[in-house]
Amino acid sequence: DGHVRGVTYSDGSGNDVEAFAKLTVACDGCFSRLRRMVNPSAEYEVMSQFHGLILRDVSLPFPEHGHVVLLDPAPSLFYPISSSEVRCLVDVPAEVSRAPEFNVKKHMIEKLAPQLPEELTTSFVEAVERGDMKCMPNRAMPAIPVGMTGAILLGDSFNMRHPLTGGGMTVALNDVNHFRNFLRTVGDLSDVGLVSSLQAYLLAERQSLSSTINILANALYSLFCANDDPALKDMKIACFDYLSKPGRWSSDPISMLGGLTGRPYLLLAHFFGVAAYACGRIL
């Protein structure tokens, strides 16, 4: 009848168990099974893949800081996870990985390793040759209202963006915060009409912050992958220089990336600021 009344799951013994609830909340990430059932119209795009590596006995150029290395064809992430280990997330664009002749180890050693800072190259190649890589698809999916009553989706099960900027958890926690605020006003979760209004409430309340993070994440990723178009390549260099400047040149974008400021108009102002700065550099 289009109404979710609970879930069926398998327990530790492999037996199917039914659990019923007035409201079913799913926050089960990008591979959400409930999303496919209650919101089949939600479609995602696989933008790229992250291949994860652990680099051993290596120090980053700036200790205790995360690093985004602008490589061709896509940026890669490096951040410390212990005093001697660094996690590396190598981004491989979808169009690159789909090529018939693509070989991920060859791509990393021959294409990417020569572009890395010298202090990372040896450990990076050793990690690739060990072969203990883990792969994760990077998806983008707009927020679409759930088509069935009795269920609510939060976090990546509801909305995704490229993880380059690490905005997924920020958006998820923001969703949880608005969901909590709504529950404080609900007296009876069996009131289908009242609970259905939760979707409209969440969409409205989350839009400012989530749209800012989503647009910024996807735009930065697309720009940092621009290596063939000379104009976009100039824009990429200009964007990097723009974000390296002190004051509001960098503090506003950092605040937006961190979810401290969710103002789309401020994001729009900085987009035009980067474009004007790029034009100024060329002139």
Side-chain angles (χ1 to χ4, degrees), residues 13-36:
S13 302
N15 301 314
D16 289 340
V17 180
E18 292 184 337
F20 297 94
K22 296 177 181 179
L23 179 64
T24 300
V25 182
C27 191
D28 50 347
C30 65
F31 298 110
S32 174
R33 297 179 64 184
L34 185 64
R35 178 182 65 235
R36 296 197 298 267

Side-chain angles (χ1 to χ4, degrees), residues 46-63:
V46 178
M47 303 178 70
S48 63
Q49 295 177 339
F50 266 157
H51 291 266
L53 302 165
I54 301 296
L55 279 58
R56 299 172 182 168
D57 301 318
V58 62
S59 297
L60 289 167
F62 296 91

Side-chain angles (χ1 to χ4, degrees), residues 152-252:
I152 184 70
L153 305 176
L154 304 174
D156 279 0
S157 61
F158 186 47
N159 175 214
M160 291 180 278
R161 80 292 311 145
H162 194 279
L164 174 68
T165 59
M169 187 59 72
T170 303
V171 173
L173 292 174
N174 183 58
D175 287 349
V176 171
N177 182 53
H178 291 305
F179 179 61
R180 179 202 60 178
N181 293 339
F182 179 84
L183 288 180
R184 286 174 171 173
T185 67
V186 177
D188 184 7
L189 290 176
S190 63
D191 186 334
V192 176
L194 181 60
V195 174
S196 294
S197 67
L198 174 59
Q199 285 287 346
Y201 171 84
L202 273 178
L203 281 173
E205 292 297 315
R206 75 189 297 277
Q207 183 175 8
S208 179
L209 185 140
S210 62
S211 63
T212 299
I213 292 178
N214 293 345
I215 293 171
L216 189 54
N218 293 337
L220 283 176
Y221 175 74
S222 298
L223 184 60
F224 288 165
C225 287
N227 296 295
D228 298 327
D229 188 319
L232 288 178
K233 193 171 183 178
D234 287 337
M235 183 68 78
K236 176 174 69 173
I237 297 172
C239 180
F240 188 79
D241 287 347
Y242 184 96
L243 295 174
S244 299
K245 291 184 173 295
R248 295 193 63 179
W249 299 70
S250 56
S251 63
D252 282 350

